[in-house]
Amino acid sequence: MASELFAKNRVILSHFDSYSTALVFARFGKTLLAPEALPEGAALAAAPAAVENIHGGDAVLQATIERYGLSAAELFREAQFDAWLTAGSDRLRIHLLRFKTFLAPAEAIAPHGGVFKPISELRGSAPLELGLVRGVFNLIMGGDQKRG
């Protein structure tokens, strides 16, 4: 089931420290998305009128927790972020998952080839992915951080 979910969904993993206002993103090799980069030719799209179960945020959160061995108590889905793309005839949804740990849990993503980086160190990433991360940056830095 998880492979089917991740065929139609991607995840941005992030951590925000409200004390220092440090915002970092997980990078896996050259991609900012888990579990893999976007397919060739992916493009931004409008949200559909109705969200199918395959794109459900709670299921993607749970599948990410299981796939990466993360703690459900330390991760939440930021529902205010909602990005959609098309890739051929497929529709992909990008979910923002945020860690609520005191520090970014580098040890949790390291076994999967991940490292946490601030937006200023993400040069070289795919332009579409950078645009998505900029949207996350604007949401978090300009939004209400009392949630989570």
Side-chain angles (χ1 to χ4, degrees):
M1 177 68 172
S3 61
E4 186 180 344
L5 273 176
F6 288 125
K8 303 282 186 180
N9 297 275
R10 298 295 189 277
V11 172
I12 296 171
L13 291 170
S14 69
H15 180 271
F16 179 71
D17 180 347
S18 59
Y19 180 74
S20 68
T21 66
L23 175 61
V24 291
F25 299 92
R27 185 173 183 171
F28 301 91
K30 292 189 177 202
T31 186
L32 304 173
L33 302 174
E36 61 185 311
L38 295 169
E40 193 70 30
L44 291 173
V51 176
E52 299 176 37
N53 287 340
I54 193 71
H55 295 294
D58 291 338
V60 172
L61 171 62
Q62 188 57 43
T64 303
I65 289 167
E66 291 171 8
R67 180 178 185 128
Y68 294 96
L70 303 172
S71 167
E74 297 177 346
L75 193 65
F76 72 100
R77 180 176 167 269
E78 179 59 71
Q80 286 187 305
F81 181 82
D82 195 33
W84 291 84
L85 298 100
T86 56
S89 62
D90 285 334
R91 189 175 280 276
L92 300 171
R93 188 176 192 187
I94 310 299
H95 303 265
L96 173 58
L97 303 183
R98 289 180 42 201
F99 288 95
K100 48 187 168 179
T101 52
F102 181 68
L103 298 172
E107 68 287 344
I109 64 167
H112 307 284
V115 293
F116 281 102
K117 300 259 183 193
I119 198 167
S120 61
E121 293 181 23
L122 298 178
R123 288 185 185 95
S125 299
L128 183 53
E129 292 182 11
L130 282 173
L132 292 167
V133 167
R134 269 189 227 106
V136 171
F137 182 89
N138 291 339
L139 172 72
I140 293 175
M141 299 310 278
D144 176 17
Q145 295 308 309
K146 294 176 186 148
R147 297 167 280 118

